[in-house]
């Protein structure tokens, strides 16, 4: 496909998502099935355009003076490829599939615009109602923090230290320029996509099939390391989902002790069985939603609640989610988080710890939930999360946001400060 066809496809997909309010991944998949002549390179390039638009929808619309899908697609291309109107016109000359370009006035406005003069929510590429929540959650740097959420993300992996080493995996992935992650001890990173490129399908590599590594954002790896699970301990991953943190915990425990992986949703839990088998993680026991966990009551050294959340910290990867999020959804998630924390607390033994993790940047889902929990559970106190960071990664810089919660300190990781997806971590200790 030539550039004009890719532009037309991106406009069609964005129109579909806006009209039907559906996840962009579904719209991209359906478009691909209906246009089988498009090769994998074409689909990747179209997807990049669509995701770039969704990451910066408000700022592009403001700069263009027009927020139609057509205007936004041209804005994204000119921005990502550093093209002016003349260069864009030249690139599309003779392309019969190219849609009509935006007006000369729109293009001139885009070229001359100064985004620093835009309203705060526009600069942050957020819905108006979320701007105050981000300011409350992230302080005076909230606009810069939100702007960093609009960049393309890298591809991160965690080396399975039970089966391989970081050097071995780097060698196995040498065609893809994987490098050690900046912070996570077993992390690897492939740089963000440039232009119309795509990340390699590393899951097709032999090293992945042999269980040498898992795909996992560096922030998620750090959160698992902050739990501080030690060899020989009993650990409950109460919201295990597909098992990414369970696998990281098990490897960090050097195969000694036991990680009990549980989730109330069997669909979310389903992928863990194959992942455990591939990683040869013999110290993971999976518990289905119908199982009674009474034998684990007050017996766990550490309990991890990777709570269901709005996923605001993952918007680099799922930018369409921020335009579908509602205030009622935040309230619903907060109630679910309270329920999960209350249910998990019973499993922590005296002197044990409860780790609360979300991939959200909203205070309503993070510090507020910890403070509410401490009011309900007087036998718990907030711990020192920066100390957990220093113990888990003694050589790593303190690239996080720290805030007082109760009498302790919680951490927030962000794309701007940590170079990862957004994560919140708090440590609670049972008296």
């Amino acid at each position: 496909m030539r550039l004009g066809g890719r532009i037309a496809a991106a406009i069609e997909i964005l129109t579909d998502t806006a009209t039907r309010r559906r996840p962009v991944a579904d719209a991209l998949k359906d478009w691909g099935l209906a246009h089988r002549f498009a090769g994998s390179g074409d689909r990747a390039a179209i997807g990049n355009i669509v995701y770039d638009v969704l990451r910066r929808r408000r700022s592009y619309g403001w700069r263009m003076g027009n927020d139609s899908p057509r205007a936004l697609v041209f804005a994204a291309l000119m921005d990502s490829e550093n093209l002016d109107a003349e260069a864009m016109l030249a690139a599309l000359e003779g392309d019969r599939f190219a849609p009509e370009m935006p007006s000369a006035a729109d293009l001139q406005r885009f070229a001359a615009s100064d985004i620093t003069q835009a309203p705060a929510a526009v600069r942050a590429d957020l819905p108006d109602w979320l701007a105050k929540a981000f300011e409350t959650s992230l302080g005076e740097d909230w606009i810069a923090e939100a702007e960093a959420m609009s960049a393309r993300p890298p591809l991160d992996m965690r080396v399975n230290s039970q089966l391989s080493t970081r050097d071995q995996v780097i060698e196995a992935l040498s065609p893809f320029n994987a490098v050690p992650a900046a912070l996570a001890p077993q992390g690897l990173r492939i740089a963000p996509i440039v232009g119309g490129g795509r990340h390699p399908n590393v899951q097709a590599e032999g090293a992945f099939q042999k269980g040498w590594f898992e795909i996992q954002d560096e922030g998620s790896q750090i959160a698992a390391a902050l739990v501080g699970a030690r060899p020989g301990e009993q650990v409950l991953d109460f919201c295990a989902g597909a098992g990414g943190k369970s696998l990281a915990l098990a490897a960090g425990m050097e195969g000694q002790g036991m990680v009990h992986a549980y989730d109330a949703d069997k669909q979310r839990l389903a992928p863990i069985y194959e992942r455990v088998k591939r990683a040869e993680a013999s110290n993971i026991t999976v518990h289905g939603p119908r199982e009674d966990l009474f034998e684990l009551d007050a017996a766990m050294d550490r309990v991890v609640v990777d709570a269901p959340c709005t996923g605001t910290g993952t918007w680099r990867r799922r930018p369409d989610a921020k335009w579908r999020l509602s205030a009622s959804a935040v309230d619903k998630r907060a109630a679910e988080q309270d329920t999960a924390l209350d249910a998990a607390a019973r499993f922590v033994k005296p002197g044990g710890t409860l780790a609360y993790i979300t991939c959200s940047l909203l205070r309503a889902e993070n510090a507020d939930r910890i403070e509410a929990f401490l009011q309900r559970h007087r036998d718990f106190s907030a711990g020192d999360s920066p100390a957990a960071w220093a113990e888990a990664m003694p050589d790593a810089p303190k690239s996080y946001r720290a805030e007082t919660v109760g009498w302790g300190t919680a951490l927030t990781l962000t794309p701007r400060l940590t170079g990862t997806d957004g994560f919140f971590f708090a440590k609670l200790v049972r008296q």
Side-chain angles (χ1 to χ4, degrees):
M1 295 176 67
R2 296 180 63 181
L3 179 59
R6 292 175 174 181
I7 292 173
I11 294 170
E12 180 182 340
I13 292 164
L14 286 165
T15 301
D16 180 27
T17 59
T19 303
R20 300 170 62 184
R21 293 186 60 82
R22 61 198 303 240
V24 67
D26 293 347
L28 284 165
K29 180 180 178 181
D30 288 350
W31 186 93
L33 292 173
H35 301 79
R36 294 185 181 276
F37 60 84
S40 58
D42 292 319
R43 294 195 300 273
I46 293 164
N48 288 341
I49 297 170
V50 169
Y51 277 98
D52 284 344
V53 166
L54 292 170
R55 291 185 183 105
R56 293 188 167 96
R57 193 176 85 179
R58 288 207 74 184
S59 60
Y60 284 157
W62 184 86
R63 292 173 63 190
M64 188 71 83
N66 184 337
D67 62 359
S68 68
R70 181 169 63 93
L72 295 174
V73 166
F74 277 95
L77 276 169
M78 288 190 290
D79 188 45
S80 64
E81 302 292 341
N82 197 26
L83 299 174
D84 58 19
E86 291 185 3
M88 178 64 73
L89 187 62
L92 297 176
E93 185 176 1
D95 189 339
R96 64 189 180 90
F97 295 104
E100 181 182 356
M101 288 185 64
S103 70
D106 286 351
L107 295 175
Q108 183 177 6
R109 175 186 170 116
F110 183 81
S113 63
D114 180 3
I115 192 63
T116 64
Q117 301 304 307
V122 173
R123 291 170 57 195
D125 272 297
L126 292 174
D128 286 333
W129 74 270
L130 265 176
K132 185 61 179 178
F134 261 66
E135 183 177 8
T136 299
S137 303
L138 298 172
E140 62 182 13
D141 295 329
W142 72 274
I143 295 177
E145 293 283 10
E147 287 174 337
M149 300 287 291
S150 297
R152 292 181 177 183
L155 174 62
D156 290 347
M157 295 156 285
R158 179 186 58 80
V159 174
N160 179 5
S161 57
Q162 294 298 99
L163 296 181
S164 189
T165 66
R166 194 148 66 169
D167 287 343
Q168 283 180 303
V169 178
I170 288 174
E171 175 63 25
L173 299 179
S174 57
F176 312 126
N177 298 316
V179 299
L183 300 170
Q186 299 299 333
L188 291 176
R189 171 163 290 184
I190 295 175
I193 295 166
V194 176
R198 54 178 171 166
H199 277 137
N201 179 17
V202 294
Q203 291 174 298
E205 296 296 310
F208 179 82
Q209 299 299 326
K210 290 186 287 188
W212 287 11
F213 69 91
E214 291 284 336
I215 296 175
Q216 186 177 20
D217 180 78
E218 188 181 9
S220 179
Q221 297 178 48
I222 292 170
L226 293 177
V227 173
R230 299 184 175 90
E233 290 187 336
Q234 295 292 311
V235 178
L236 171 61
D237 188 357
F238 189 68
C239 303
K245 290 185 179 65
S246 293
L247 291 166
L249 291 165
M253 293 163 62
E254 301 174 3
Q256 303 173 43
M258 186 59 64
V259 175
H260 300 270
Y262 168 83
D263 199 285
D265 187 326
K266 66 180 180 181
Q267 296 298 326
R268 286 200 301 262
L269 193 64
I272 196 173
Y273 297 97
E274 179 58 33
R275 296 180 76 182
V276 167
K277 180 180 179 181
R278 186 177 60 248
E280 298 182 22
S282 59
N283 62 326
I284 293 180
T285 297
V286 181
H287 300 270
R290 297 190 187 93
E291 290 190 41
D292 192 334
L293 303 181
F294 71 93
E295 292 183 351
L296 307 184
D297 282 0
M300 297 292 102
D301 297 288
R302 302 177 196 272
V303 175
V304 180
V305 177
D306 186 4
C309 68
T310 57
T312 55
T314 67
W315 279 347
R316 295 184 304 171
R317 305 177 195 280
R318 302 179 182 88
D320 56 318
K322 67 178 163 183
W323 309 114
R324 299 197 312 271
L325 184 62
S326 65
S328 62
V330 177
D331 293 340
K332 179 181 178 182
R333 287 304 192 194
E336 294 171 347
Q337 290 150 6
D338 287 345
T339 298
L341 277 167
D342 290 345
R346 76 180 228 232
F347 299 105
V348 184
K349 74 180 186 181
T353 61
L354 173 61
Y356 179 70
I357 301 168
T358 73
C359 54
S360 173
L361 296 178
L362 300 180
R363 181 180 175 85
E365 298 183 271
N366 296 336
D368 287 356
R369 303 281 54 79
I370 295 301
E371 291 175 350
F373 175 84
L374 293 173
Q375 289 295 317
R376 297 192 302 272
H377 297 267
R378 299 291 183 169
D379 55 334
F380 280 84
S381 61
D384 185 351
S385 297
W389 177 287
E391 181 178 353
M393 300 174 295
D395 299 324
K398 299 176 181 179
S399 51
Y400 51 71
R401 292 176 51 83
E403 61 181 312
T404 300
V405 180
W407 295 102
T409 307
L411 303 182
T412 300
L413 317 183
T414 69
R416 174 174 171 265
L417 292 178
T418 324
T420 68
D421 283 353
F423 279 90
F424 175 84
F425 178 89
K427 179 180 179 181
L428 301 162
V429 182
R430 189 169 194 176
Q431 303 304 308

